[in-house]
Amino acid sequence: MKFFPAASGFAIAMVLSTALPAHANAPAESRQQIERIVEKFRVAVVNKDKDSFMKLFLREDITWVASFDDASLERIMARRTDKSLPRPKKIFGGSPREFIEDIAKSAGPLEETFDNVRIDADTDVAQVWFDYSFKAGNYRENWGKEAWHLVRTDDGWKIASVIWSMKLNPEPPPSAGIK
């Protein structure tokens, strides 16, 4: 093993700190508060709790945009019985309220799961990036990458924008073939 003089130890620490995952750079208190926001989002979806869900956002009219992958758009077109309908748009939007209201209307259990959550923050702004899966019961409807921007307000951290990619499950839900 090579010995590194103390003067180069600082340089090594600087290189290693830039190689750490983004969440390692967030102040501990900010990271913990943001992790709680992520969990509150998940729980509000599971519980179909519109009020708790909406309290997570800076405003109702934040950026709320998804992008379908090309294969999913092709599957949508292939499944259509009316081929004269226009191709669905690659990008679509909405709002947090529309999302949670659709969730609340659903008869069955729904859940959005988050994996590989990365948080980069200081004490006032943050970004969260993760892999998500959206499930209806045991059926994985869609998945992709999701990114949030957050700001710290007088009332705590609030989500200021949500964007995500969307890959639709190529397999229809198990009940789709049952009549």
Side-chain angles (χ1 to χ4, degrees), residues 16-149:
L16 289 176
S17 71
T18 60
L20 292 173
H23 69 281
N25 295 327
E29 185 178 351
S30 293
R31 185 177 62 249
Q32 291 167 354
Q33 292 168 353
I34 294 165
E35 287 169 347
R36 284 194 292 273
I37 297 293
V38 172
E39 180 61 8
K40 286 178 182 179
F41 184 106
R42 188 192 71 75
V43 170
V45 169
V46 169
N47 294 334
K48 302 177 183 184
D49 183 345
K50 293 188 270 187
D51 291 333
S52 294
F53 187 80
M54 291 309 299
K55 288 177 184 173
L56 300 173
F57 298 91
L58 181 63
R59 298 184 314 266
E60 286 200 29
D61 65 341
I62 67 163
T63 298
W64 186 270
V65 177
S67 178
F68 279 115
D69 74 320
D70 293 336
S72 293
L73 288 174
E74 292 305 320
R75 281 193 295 281
I76 291 169
M77 290 301 295
R79 291 179 183 158
R80 284 191 171 168
T81 54
D82 184 351
K83 302 296 184 189
S84 68
L85 292 172
R87 178 182 172 88
K89 295 189 182 289
K90 180 166 182 55
I91 305 296
F92 71 93
S95 72
R97 180 158 310 277
E98 290 170 335
F99 175 76
I100 195 64
E101 286 180 354
D102 284 345
I103 298 289
K105 288 179 202 171
S106 175
L110 300 173
E111 181 180 17
E112 185 172 358
T113 61
F114 309 107
D115 294 304
N116 303 315
V117 177
R118 287 142 348 250
I119 298 170
D120 189 11
D122 61 15
T123 57
D124 296 302
V125 296
Q127 61 184 358
V128 181
W129 175 263
F130 51 86
D131 302 324
Y132 82 91
S133 288
F134 192 84
K135 295 160 107 184
N138 292 325
Y139 177 70
R140 188 175 173 210
E141 287 187 354
N142 62 77
W143 57 88
K145 301 283 186 188
E146 191 164 327
W148 300 352
H149 285 123

Side-chain angles (χ1 to χ4, degrees), residues 1-13 15-16:
M1 175 177 208
K2 280 189 165 184
F3 174 77
F4 292 99
S8 64
F10 177 75
I12 291 169
V15 169
L16 289 176

